Amino acid sequence: MSTTVAGRRTPRRTLPAAPAWWADVAGAAAVLSLLVVTALWTADRGVQELSGGAATGLTSLGRLAGLVSADLMLVQVVLMARVPLIERRFGQDRIARWHRLTGFTSFHLLLAHVLLTVLGYAGTARRGVLAETWDLVVTYPGMLLATAALALLVLVVVTSVRAARRRLRYESWHLLHLYAYLGVALALPHQLWTGADFVASPLARAYWWTLYLLALASVLVWRLGLPAWRSLRHRIEVAAVVPEAPGVTSVWLRGRDLHRLPVRAGQFLLWRFLDGPGWSRAHPYSLSAPPNGDLMRITVKDLGDGSARVAALRPGTRVLVEGPYGRLTGERWRGGGITMLACGVGITPLLALLWELPYAPGQAVLLHRARTPEDLAFRAELDRLAAERGVVVHHLVGPRAARPSWLPAYAEGLSDAEALRRLSPGVAGHDVFLCGPDGWVDAARAATRAAGVPEAHTHHERFAW
C-alpha cells in the first residue's frame, strides 16, 4: 500500500479558511452574552436587592452567580460542538484551552450559586443551613434534578483535573466527560420552574430559550448530524493494516467519493471502528499520508484499549468518522523553508505534510525524536522523501534528557536553541511545524522562540495520550 503515497492525487474539495474578522465577532458574542445576563439580573432588581439586608443580598448574588454560570456552561457547549467556522478559525488547541477555562469558571460560579443561595434563604427563613438545604432539595420544583446535575458536573470536573486525567485511560475519560451534557440537561427544569428570570421576565425567557436552543442545535447538527451524513455518504472501511514499528500500526482506509471529504494533510478525524463492543468511543488520529484518490492512511501508537485494537482490525471493517479537525495544514505555510519537529507518533501529520507541500529540494528539514531505533516508524518512507523530494532528515534517538527538552539525553551539552540552529541553520526564517506530547511540544516551542522564530510562524499540534 505504501507505493500509493506519492502517486496521482484526485483534486480535493477543501473548506475555505474562516475570515479574520470572525475572531472578533465570536469574542464579542461571548462577552455580549455575559453583559445580557448581567443586564437581565439588574432589570429584575438584582442591584437593589444587594442593599436589602444580608440575606437578601446573598440571595441576589447567588442568583447572579447561577445565571453567569449557566451562560458560560452553554458557551462551553457551543465551543466544543465542533462548529466548522469556529474550529477553522481558532483550532482545537486554543478551543480546548478556552473550554477548560470556561468550564472551571462556570463550575466555581455554580458552587458559589449553591452556597450563596442556601445562605440567603436560610437567613431569610431564620433556620439552619442544613435544614434549609434539605427543604430546598425536596420541596422546590426541579431541585432534585438540579442536585443530580451538580453531582454529574462534579464528577466531570474532578476527572478533568490534570492529575486525575493523566491516571485515566482516554476511553474512560471521554465517556465520563459526556456526562456534562446530561448535567446541563438536568439543570434546565430547575431554571424553568424556579428561576426568577424565567418566571418573571418574558425577555429573559426569550433570551435563555434562544441560548439553550442554539447550544442544542450546535450539538445536533455538528456533533451528530454532519458526522452521520458523512459516514453514510462515504462508506469508509478498512483496506489494509500495516505494522510500522513496535506498537505502531498504519491503517489504510478506502471509501466512496473520498475526494469530496474536505480533509487535508496534517488534519485529524475522530474514528469509530465497527469491530465489536466499544465501537461507540471515538479516537482522534491524524492522517499520516495525504488523501490519494479514494485512499487515506492513519497511523496509531498503542497507548490505550482503543488504539491497541487497531492492530487487530480486519479489512472490510466499517468506519464512522467525525471531522476533519485541526489547523496544522499547508494553509499555514508561507512558502520557502520549512522545519518540522516530531516526537514519536507525532511524525504522522508531519509526514503527510511532507508529501503534500510543494517545497523545493533542500527547503524542508525534519527532526524526528524517538527513544530507540526501533521506535523510528516510516524509515523507508522518510528515506524516499529524502531521495525524491530532497528532505533533510535527522533522527534524534535516545532516552529523554533530565531537564525539560525536545532533545535526547546525549545532547545535554547543547542548549535547545543552539541544537535547533545547528540541525536547521535557516530555522529563524522558516515556518516551523511541531507535533508531539504536551511537555515535549512546550519545550520545542521554547527552543524555536529562542532560535529567533516568530511565534506566528510556529504551528503545532499536541496529543494527550
Side-chain angles (χ1 to χ4, degrees), residues 82 222-223 227 268-272 282 320-325:
R82 303 195 185 277
W222 306 117
R223 289 303 297 265
F268 69 94
L269 298 95
L270 299 180
W271 305 86
R272 293 177 174 87
L320 305 180
V321 295
E322 183 181 339
Y325 305 119

Side-chain angles (χ1 to χ4, degrees), residues 120-462:
Y121 275 46
T124 300
R126 300 183 183 279
R127 59 196 305 183
V129 171
L130 293 179
E132 185 63 33
T133 301
W134 176 259
D135 186 61
L136 284 172
V137 171
V138 300
T139 62
Y140 277 63
M143 283 302 299
L144 282 174
L145 293 176
T147 303
L150 177 61
L152 290 173
L153 293 174
V154 168
L155 175 65
V156 171
V157 169
V158 168
T159 55
S160 295
V161 175
R162 293 188 189 278
R165 182 171 173 175
R166 282 195 295 266
R167 295 175 179 270
L168 287 171
R169 294 180 297 115
Y170 172 80
E171 297 84 0
S172 301
W173 174 84
H174 186 264
L175 180 62
L176 290 171
H177 213 64
L178 292 177
Y179 284 116
Y181 291 110
L182 182 58
V184 173
L186 291 178
L188 179 58
H190 154 64
Q191 193 171 5
L192 287 174
W193 298 336
T194 62
D197 288 86
F198 259 83
V199 173
S201 170
L203 182 62
R205 282 200 300 274
Y207 170 77
W208 283 107
W209 273 119
T210 300
L211 203 57
Y212 269 102
L213 291 175
L214 176 64
L216 177 62
S218 298
V219 172
L220 291 178
V221 172
W222 306 117
R223 289 303 297 265
L224 299 176
L226 183 60
W229 178 76
R230 283 180 173 163
S231 294
L232 288 172
R233 178 184 187 184
H234 297 293
R235 300 184 63 83
I236 298 171
E237 63 180 32
V238 174
V241 179
V242 181
E244 300 287 357
V248 179
T249 303
S250 285
V251 181
W252 285 92
L253 301 125
R254 61 183 170 228
R256 182 176 59 190
D257 296 331
L258 287 187
H259 64 282
R260 296 186 179 277
L261 182 65
V263 61
R264 299 194 58 170
Q267 291 188 301
F268 69 94
L269 298 95
L270 299 180
W271 305 86
R272 293 177 174 87
F273 298 99
L274 306 185
D275 60 339
W279 67 266
S280 61
R281 293 191 290 272
H283 297 272
Y285 301 136
S286 298
L287 295 184
S288 58
N292 180 13
D294 281 341
L295 283 174
M296 55 185 174
R297 184 183 69 184
I298 60 173
T299 301
V300 179
K301 185 174 177 61
D302 181 359
L303 296 173
D305 287 354
S307 53
R309 291 169 54 177
V310 168
L313 288 172
R314 295 175 178 270
T317 301
R318 288 291 304 277
V319 184
L320 305 180
V321 295
E322 183 181 339
Y325 305 119
R327 302 174 67 226
L328 196 71
T329 68
E331 292 174 344
R332 316 297 297 279
W333 182 49
R334 297 169 297 138
I338 310 166
T339 297
M340 296 191 173
L341 289 80
C343 182
V345 78
I347 186 67
T348 55
L350 304 187
L351 183 63
L353 283 168
L354 285 172
W355 281 116
E356 182 183 79
L357 295 177
Y359 50 84
Q363 279 189 318
V365 179
L366 172 67
L367 311 177
H368 187 193
R369 172 81 178 88
R371 183 178 293 272
T372 67
E374 292 74 22
D375 293 330
L376 290 171
F378 303 109
R379 288 292 294 265
E381 198 166 316
L382 291 174
D383 290 343
R384 186 177 167 199
L385 275 165
E388 295 183 7
R389 300 290 311 276
V391 178
V392 179
V393 180
H394 297 285
H395 297 296
L396 308 174
V397 182
R400 69 177 61 183
R403 60 187 172 87
S405 174
W406 66 276
L407 293 165
Y410 68 74
E412 288 282 6
L414 291 175
S415 73
D416 282 13
E418 182 184 358
L420 181 57
R421 283 192 292 261
R422 288 190 184 185
L423 294 167
S424 181
V427 66
H430 287 189
D431 278 301
V432 178
F433 291 79
L434 312 170
C435 188
D438 276 344
W440 184 88
V441 167
D442 291 337
R445 290 180 66 194
T448 61
R449 288 194 296 270
V453 182
E455 186 70 21
H457 300 166
T458 301
H459 322 294
H460 67 276
E461 194 79 73
R462 305 170 188 263

